[in-house]
Amino acid sequence: MPNTVPSWLSGALKGTGPGDGRLTVARLADERTLGRGGFALTSPAFGDGEALDPCFTADEEDAVAPPLEWSAPPPGTQELALVVEDADAGEEPVCHWLVWGLAGQRGKLLEGEVPPRVGKNAHRNSEWLLPEPPPEDEAHRYVFQLFALDLPLTLMPGASREDLVKTMENHVVAAAVLTGKYKRQPEDAGEGAWDEDDFV
């Protein structure tokens, strides 16, 4: 898949990075479906392009996934699915969260709430993968991508990102994106807290 970032997406993302063109939204959405009918994704915990609180990251004990809220999707939506990826981890975005089984209507996920169905993240765990970028890096962008689908998904919990993406292809009627940023401070990276091969 080429890493060219379509213009309709670059205008919606906060900042640019090597993985933008390979985000799931670049593969599944287009200019017509992004924000269709005012479909929008927000969070009461951070604004679009703003920093994530450490309580949602690997730098704080008992960290959880952030709360999310979304407006009503277009008529005919059967289900919503959420993909969260680190666009700045390299040429291939790192998957932090796969969620589906969300009702095709206005709704929300509370802070730390367990979603209906969750797939495997980049560490092959079925949970919110806590952001843990290298301390020397500039802030990484975690792109929350919400998809309105015209059919209910039959995937079982624990499916992979590729399984989810293949199932959603040609069924996205609207999409919305929300970007949260996170930069670790050197003192956050305590000795033994991370392995250089595990940055996400």
Side-chain angles (χ1 to χ4, degrees), residues 14 41-52 178-181:
K14 301 300 180 182
L41 177 64
T42 60
S43 174
F46 63 95
D48 192 18
E50 293 183 353
L52 294 173
L178 171 67
T179 302
K181 297 180 179 180

Side-chain angles (χ1 to χ4, degrees), residues 35-195:
R36 180 183 172 196
F39 187 47
L41 177 64
T42 60
S43 174
F46 63 95
D48 192 18
E50 293 183 353
L52 294 173
D53 189 279
C55 69
F56 305 125
T57 76
D59 290 323
E60 192 163 302
E61 292 185 12
D62 301 321
V64 295
L68 299 170
E69 300 177 353
W70 52 89
S71 60
T77 299
Q78 298 294 306
E79 185 172 321
L80 301 177
L82 175 73
V83 178
V84 184
E85 294 165 314
D86 179 353
D88 298 317
E91 290 189 2
E92 189 66 34
V94 168
C95 180
H96 280 256
W97 213 15
L98 295 175
V99 174
W100 63 96
L102 301 169
Q105 58 192 28
R106 179 179 179 179
K108 61 185 176 181
L109 282 172
L110 301 177
E111 181 175 319
E113 179 179 350
V114 178
R117 292 184 179 177
V118 183
K120 287 185 170 60
N121 58 38
H123 285 187
R124 302 195 62 77
N125 298 316
S126 295
E127 57 190 21
W128 165 245
L129 178 57
L130 300 172
E132 193 176 9
E136 66 271 16
D137 279 15
E138 293 301 317
H140 280 213
R141 293 168 302 134
Y142 298 88
V143 184
F144 295 72
Q145 306 151 76
L146 188 64
F147 301 94
L149 309 171
D150 64 4
L151 82 172
L153 300 180
T154 58
L155 285 174
M156 296 299 292
S160 69
R161 174 174 60 173
E162 194 58 32
D163 289 337
L164 179 61
V165 169
K166 286 182 178 178
T167 304
M168 292 195 295
E169 279 184 333
N170 302 314
H171 293 289
V172 173
V173 297
V177 296
L178 171 67
T179 302
K181 297 180 179 180
Y182 190 63
K183 176 175 173 55
R184 301 180 75 200
Q185 301 302 316
E187 58 269 23
D188 291 335
E191 184 177 352
W194 46 264
D195 184 280

